Amino acid sequence: QANVPLNEFEFSWSKVSNIQPQLEKLISKNYFLNLSAKEAYKAYVRAYESHSLKQIYDVQTLDLKSVGQSFGFVVPPHIDIGVSYSKKHKGRHGGGGGGAGGDRKFKKTKIYRQPNSKGKINFSR
């Protein structure tokens, strides 16, 4: 047990204003805030997923909708958590060890890019 002092404060909930709708509206209307919030959300979930105490920080039990709301999203953005592989190993070696090629099937991460304002790609020399 660590001897850490705990200071507890009481608040009157009638004096606390609900700013969640204002935050969601601001994040949805401002492109740069939306982009920053999306990057922060993804970084938070990936950090949660990579924590060493998996029994406490289990990303499968994390409520992604609530986490997304705390970053100002009505609907949380899609996140591809890590690289997953199929659990069925077809090789005769049992799937252990690394090696080139291997028996694991990896999923590729898709990268999307915003088109310019006219929807066309500009090439220059």
Side-chain angles (χ1 to χ4, degrees), residues 19-30 34 65 68-75:
I19 61 166
Q20 185 68 32
Q22 295 169 353
L23 177 66
E24 291 170 357
K25 184 178 177 182
L26 182 65
I27 295 293
S28 67
K29 293 204 182 264
N30 189 319
N34 187 295
K65 182 166 176 50
Q69 284 180 340
S70 68
F71 283 92
F73 296 108
V74 178
V75 177

Side-chain angles (χ1 to χ4, degrees), residues 20 23-24 37 40-46 48 59 61-77 79:
Q20 185 68 32
L23 177 66
E24 291 170 357
Y41 169 79
K42 289 181 179 185
Y44 176 83
V45 173
R46 286 190 181 122
Y48 197 94
V59 76
T61 60
L62 185 63
D63 186 4
L64 293 177
K65 182 166 176 50
S66 296
V67 173
Q69 284 180 340
S70 68
F71 283 92
F73 296 108
V74 178
V75 177
I79 182 168

Side-chain angles (χ1 to χ4, degrees), residues 42 46 78-80 82 107-113:
K42 289 181 179 185
R46 286 190 181 122
H78 173 75
I79 182 168
D80 183 19
K107 294 181 182 177
K108 292 185 178 179
T109 303
K110 294 182 181 178
I111 300 174
Y112 295 97
R113 181 173 296 165

Side-chain angles (χ1 to χ4, degrees), residues 73-88:
F73 296 108
V74 178
V75 177
H78 173 75
I79 182 168
D80 183 19
I81 302 172
V83 178
S84 61
Y85 62 92
S86 64
K87 302 238 178 195
K88 296 179 183 177

